[in-house]
Amino acid sequence: MRDTVRYRRGYPGQRDGQSTEMVQFYLNRIPSTPRGAKIEAILADWRGDYHLLERHHGYIQWLFPIRQSGLNDDAPPLTKVEAEYMAKNEQVKGRVLRAYKMMLDFYGFRLCDASGEVERGVESHYRRRISHLNNSFHNYLRITRIIKSLGELGYQHFQKPLVETLISEIYEGRPPPL
């Protein structure tokens, strides 16, 4: 809970480093590490490769940077200056959107429109992917990161529709456990 409170308060008192690696990655100038690729290669070649997206754990901190460290020590935390730049740069925002769509597909969903509404993807694909999500806890850590990153990178209006869809689909009309 503590990291969510820090996120919602804008990471009070946090000192940012001087890194520009996330911007450089999103401008397609450097690859993610470890064993990663440049963002254009990830967006073009990894979409639909669910085995790769599932087993490779280093890319998610690069695709969805936030202002705190993650499990990948090679991925620097996003700085406030980087977040501000990325939220305004149309090329970067386009890549963030493509990354988000790729991960929605990985979880069995699709983005409906620019409002941020999310719905099930193709039914046969959706069933396999949502079943996998419900049996793979670490993907919820990824989803939490995605939600935070959307807020940092100018897509705040996508956060609520994603959360509402996940609650609805995961619990299928049943109230969440307390």
Side-chain angles (χ1 to χ4, degrees), residues 66-143:
I66 58 176
R67 293 189 56 223
Q68 65 190 65
S69 297
L71 298 176
N72 178 358
D73 292 334
D74 289 344
L78 182 70
T79 68
K80 188 173 184 175
V81 171
E82 285 180 307
E84 290 167 355
Y85 174 84
M86 292 171 75
K88 293 176 184 170
N89 182 287
E90 291 304 317
Q91 183 180 36
V92 169
K93 285 189 74 172
R95 288 181 174 137
V96 171
L97 182 60
R98 288 169 56 206
Y100 181 52
K101 288 178 178 179
M102 180 178 77
M103 293 310 294
L104 285 176
D105 177 70
F106 176 68
Y107 296 123
F109 298 104
R110 71 175 198 86
L111 186 65
C112 297
D113 54 41
S115 75
E117 293 302 313
V118 174
E119 67 183 11
R120 290 180 179 186
V122 176
E123 191 63 26
S124 60
H125 170 68
Y126 164 80
R127 287 281 168 212
R128 284 191 308 273
R129 301 311 310 157
I130 198 73
S131 174
H132 176 77
L133 175 62
N134 283 327
N135 292 301
S136 183
F137 178 77
H138 77 271
N139 279 309
Y140 290 107
L141 296 174
R142 290 176 171 182
I143 289 170

Side-chain angles (χ1 to χ4, degrees), residues 148-165:
K148 289 177 180 179
S149 184
L150 290 171
E152 297 279 4
L153 302 179
Y155 285 102
Q156 297 86 344
H157 62 289
F158 282 10
Q159 292 173 309
K160 184 177 178 184
L162 176 58
V163 170
E164 289 174 341
T165 298

Side-chain angles (χ1 to χ4, degrees), residues 35 42 45-57 59 106 142:
R35 300 178 324 277
I42 292 171
D45 301 337
W46 295 22
R47 184 182 177 105
D49 188 340
Y50 306 124
H51 182 70
L52 175 61
L53 292 171
E54 179 59 36
R55 70 179 166 80
H56 192 303
H57 296 281
Y59 72 93
F106 176 68
R142 290 176 171 182

